[in-house]
Amino acid sequence: MDFSLTEEQETMRVTARKFVDKEILPVILEYDEKEEFPLEIVNKMHEVGLLTIGVPEEFDGPGADILTQILVTEELSRGCGGIGATMAASCLLSAQPVNVAGTYEQKKYYYDRLNAGKLGAFCLTEPGAGSDTAGISLTAKRDGDFYVLNGTKQFITNGGVADIYTVFGTTNKELRYKGIIGFIVDRNTPGISVGPEEKKMGIRTSDTRQVIFEDVRVPVANRLGEEGEGFKILMKALDLSRPSVAAEAVGIAQGAYEAAVKYCKERVAFGQEIGKFQAIRFMLADMAMEIEAARLLTYKACYLAQENLPFSHVASYAKCFAADVAMKVTTNVVQILGGYGYLREYGVEKYMRDAKVMQIYEGTNQIQRVVIANNIFK
Ligand code: COS
């Protein structure tokens, strides 16, 4: 077993880390405060290649492996969970149904847009269906060479800033999962509108909205797979993207932990640096240990996926475990900084707010346990 990174993986990790230190950390609290999407930063991320690392070589990308994409997601999330989410939603979630089931033409259609600096969004969740994916209501009715889409998608990351969507609906809700159908949809198709930006607890620098489809005509050529295959396509896509949420969580925990270590070397109480008190040292030791465990699970899920080995349950271990670690670590980092931790100006409460959604989106941690338990008994 080899835990070392390849030269390419290490180069991309360092590139992302330096980008975070130079372009994200110095300014991100202002964006968070204003709940503003950091378009300038996202454009720079594209310029240095951080938004297209996963684009395969045959579509003019670098074709980096899954672990490299995960390393970049982790580093970006160390700087800002919202920026990690923006990148992952586009490159690692919205792109997955296309990777899983897209034809050559569909992949080209999608990747050409990523190469041009555009973002993607994955439109699955609805106001009335989150965990119960087979219960979605957006209708897809065949009309000649088109499908006509009607319905509303909820909590869509990049909803208002994406140029391309992967969208899931149903041809017949009574069929449950057998009626699910997926498409690639251009944002500019007539009939698509977006709701106002949601006011969120955390990842406030990411764009989250409703996406509304009213008589949206999508060519049959944009259908992913066959009618009725949508559920399995999207389940496979979620399996592939869950390690990226784990990586976001690891990055958030790491960022908070680094801030705590720095503070512990500077802050003096009872005549010595607080990092010399055993109570604090034990908290930091637990953080270091748990972050590393979450990281290793995340990398293992990537390894299995990359090798085409069964990995669905390990992706769920990683997502669930890392999200819980991020919540625990960030809460304890606020505790270590005490009153200063509670002030927005110090930035660590942002990590805690950003961490919470890791336990909720892309399958709640309860859903991850359903996936894990299903695997035990299958
Ligand atoms: N890969 C491939 N096929 C899968 C699969 C996977 N990971 N998971 C399930 N399937 C298949 C099953 O094998 C079954 O097919 P067969 O009947 O041919 O055997 C079919 O899909 C239905 O599976 P199941 O009965 O388990 O479906 P459920 O409706 O019970 O749903 C859960 C299962 C709850 C796990 C699923 O709905 C889920 O993951 N929900 C959370 C969705 C989510 O993450 N939402 C967040 C939105 S993205 S931000």
Side-chain angles (χ1 to χ4, degrees), residues 76-359:
L76 291 175
S77 304
R78 182 182 68 89
C80 173
I83 290 182
T86 300
M87 178 271 189
S90 177
C91 313
L92 287 149
L93 176 57
S94 173
Q96 294 305 357
V98 185
N99 285 333
V100 166
T103 60
Y104 178 88
E105 289 72 26
Q106 288 172 338
K107 286 180 180 164
K108 184 154 172 40
Y109 185 79
Y110 192 90
Y111 289 128
D112 278 355
R113 280 163 176 76
L114 288 197
N115 285 336
K118 314 283 188 195
L119 292 171
F122 180 75
C123 300
L124 172 63
T125 299
E126 297 185 352
S131 295
D132 182 12
T133 308
I136 57 174
S137 304
L138 181 135
T139 54
K141 287 214 163 60
R142 180 89 186 238
D143 180 15
D145 289 338
F146 290 84
Y147 284 88
V148 182
L149 308 190
N150 277 290
T152 298
K153 295 295 176 181
Q154 178 82 4
F155 307 131
I156 305 305
T157 307
N158 293 343
V161 292
D163 278 84
I164 188 128
Y165 299 137
T166 41
V167 182
F168 289 86
T170 177
T171 53
N172 178 354
K173 206 176 165 194
E174 283 171 17
L175 292 177
R176 293 279 297 169
Y177 84 82
K178 290 182 179 160
I180 306 292
I181 184 167
F183 302 95
I184 303 178
V185 182
D186 195 300
R187 162 72 179 86
N188 294 320
T189 317
I192 298 179
S193 58
V194 295
E197 238 179 280
E198 301 290 0
K199 300 276 175 209
K200 306 191 293 286
M201 174 196 221
I203 60 163
R204 289 184 182 179
T205 61
S206 69
D207 180 274
T208 311
R209 297 169 196 256
Q210 280 195 335
V211 180
I212 302 133
F213 297 80
E214 288 170 302
D215 291 328
V216 175
R217 294 177 70 78
V218 179
V220 172
N222 287 27
R223 185 185 66 209
L224 291 162
E226 297 298 322
E227 279 194 14
E229 288 180 0
F231 190 83
K232 289 186 185 177
I233 293 169
L234 78 87
M235 281 296 133
K236 285 181 191 158
L238 285 173
D239 285 346
L240 284 161
S241 83
R242 281 175 184 151
S244 70
V245 180
E248 289 171 44
V250 171
I252 290 169
Q254 179 71 30
Y257 163 80
E258 287 176 16
V261 171
K262 182 168 179 285
Y263 184 80
C264 288
K265 289 178 183 165
E266 293 164 358
R267 173 73 175 178
V268 171
F270 304 100
Q272 60 179 358
E273 291 160 19
I274 63 166
K276 293 194 170 145
F277 290 107
Q278 195 175 51
I280 299 284
R281 295 172 88 89
F282 278 14
M283 282 168 91
L284 293 172
D286 282 350
M287 289 180 199
M289 179 166 57
E290 288 168 7
I291 293 169
E292 188 64 5
R295 179 176 287 125
L296 290 177
L297 261 182
T298 306
Y299 294 0
K300 181 172 180 191
C302 296
Y303 162 79
L304 294 172
Q306 192 74 43
E307 296 295 311
N308 282 320
L309 294 165
F311 75 101
S312 173
H313 58 300
V314 183
S316 287
Y317 296 165
K319 190 274 184 189
C320 186
F321 186 80
D324 285 348
V325 165
M327 201 62 241
K328 185 175 162 195
V329 166
T330 56
T331 305
N332 283 339
V333 169
V334 170
Q335 188 70 20
I336 287 176
L337 269 78
Y340 293 109
Y342 202 65
L343 297 184
R344 293 209 292 274
E345 178 189 343
Y346 281 75
V348 297
E349 60 82 45
K350 174 180 180 299
Y351 285 116
M352 185 176 163
R353 286 187 284 105
D354 287 354
K356 183 60 201 167
V357 79
M358 303 296 140
Q359 295 176 313

